[in-house]
Amino acid sequence: MLIAIPNCQGRVSPVFDVAARLVLVRLKGEAELERRDVVLFEKQPDGIVRSLGELGIEVLICGAISQGLQVALEHAGIRVLPQICGGLDSVIAAYRRGALGQPEFVMPGCCGRRWEAERRGGRCRKDSNTSRPGPLYDSKMR
């Protein structure tokens, strides 16, 4: 499995739409096989989707992301795990052990109840008009 995380000085970039660098992590089960940095030159949504598809990204872990770009990535088969913050090493380790839904990884300003709702496939009460992706972690995806 290949995951991508936008990188801003060793932390998850706060806004994916304008991120310039990605950390790509290849996982097999819980083992990290490879980690590398890439520069994301594309700035338009269609170019970003194309670039991530060409890289073979299966999961994008990011901070804020525009709804249009998130939908386009998901239609391209890339699973998006938005509203995540923290140091790259901590976020990667949490993803590997299925603990990305912990409060310490929730972006400031994001409703904490959203994580519990996502685990049940529901919605955040504050964002009840917005559909959300399924569970934050699915062991079958590895």
Side-chain angles (χ1 to χ4, degrees):
M1 164 171 291
L2 187 61
I3 65 171
I5 305 171
N7 178 10
C8 181
Q9 301 178 351
R11 297 186 59 80
V12 177
S13 296
V15 181
F16 174 68
D17 298 56
V18 295
R21 305 185 66 78
L22 296 174
V23 171
L24 305 184
V25 181
R26 185 167 306 282
L27 300 174
K28 183 172 184 179
E30 288 191 31
E32 183 176 319
L33 302 179
E34 172 188 15
R35 188 184 297 199
R36 64 186 170 111
D37 292 320
V38 297
V39 175
L40 187 60
F41 293 104
E42 295 289 344
K43 298 301 176 204
Q44 297 300 315
D46 58 337
I48 294 171
V49 172
R50 185 176 47 256
S51 293
L52 268 62
E54 289 171 357
L55 288 168
I57 304 302
E58 296 171 69
V59 176
L60 171 67
I61 299 171
C62 61
I65 182 171
S66 65
Q67 184 178 5
L69 182 53
Q70 180 174 344
V71 168
L73 288 165
E74 290 170 345
H75 282 160
I78 298 170
R79 184 155 188 220
V80 179
L81 303 178
Q83 303 301 322
I84 303 295
C85 68
L88 292 175
D89 291 333
S90 298
V91 167
I92 293 165
Y95 179 79
R96 288 173 47 196
R97 61 178 195 275
L100 204 51
Q102 297 297 313
E104 66 198 83
F105 300 110
V106 178
M107 282 191 73
C110 180
C111 165
R113 292 183 306 269
R114 181 180 78 87
W115 298 107
E116 235 1 89
E118 280 191 4
R119 285 194 192 121
R120 294 187 312 269
R123 298 176 181 170
C124 174
R125 286 182 224 164
K126 287 185 179 179
D127 296 331
S128 61
N129 293 331
T130 305
S131 64
R132 298 286 188 193
L136 289 176
Y137 173 80
D138 182 353
S139 60
K140 295 176 187 170
M141 291 188 65
R142 290 197 179 178

